[in-house]
Amino acid sequence: MRKAIGVFQSYGIPLTGKKKAANFYNDLRMDKIFVSGLIFELEYELKKELEDEKIARIQTPSELINSLLQAS
């Protein structure tokens, strides 16, 4: 989990308070390419891979973390 927190922090996303439920696109104003980069880095660091369908539905940091924890 420390690795994941470090990746989020490198993108300027704190995982405390309301920010963990903030929408990547509307609230955090991230471009799709940066969200894709974030997901890629998390998959690499955690040695897990998400299905493309799940990636397309992820909108918040908490959804991303939950998806990664459930991934094999």
Side-chain angles (χ1 to χ4, degrees), residues 1-16:
M1 198 60 177
R2 286 184 194 162
K3 290 179 181 181
I5 292 170
V7 173
F8 275 104
Q9 287 178 342
S10 72
Y11 279 77
I13 303 171
L15 294 178
T16 56

Side-chain angles (χ1 to χ4, degrees), residues 5-69:
I5 292 170
V7 173
F8 275 104
Q9 287 178 342
S10 72
Y11 279 77
I13 303 171
L15 294 178
T16 56
K18 295 178 184 178
K19 292 289 184 181
K20 66 183 171 198
N23 185 289
F24 286 123
Y25 308 103
N26 298 330
D27 301 325
L28 300 175
R29 299 197 184 279
M30 291 179 71
D31 196 46
K32 182 136 180 83
I33 194 77
F34 290 109
V35 175
S36 296
L38 171 65
I39 293 170
F40 174 79
E41 284 190 52
L42 286 166
E43 287 176 324
Y44 180 78
E45 286 292 325
L46 301 175
K47 295 173 180 48
K48 297 190 177 210
E49 190 172 339
L50 295 174
E51 298 171 11
D52 291 337
E53 300 85 39
K54 284 187 179 182
I55 291 173
R57 288 181 273 153
I58 292 173
Q59 298 287 314
T60 67
S62 59
E63 289 175 4
L64 178 54
I65 291 170
N66 289 334
S67 296
L68 286 166
L69 291 175

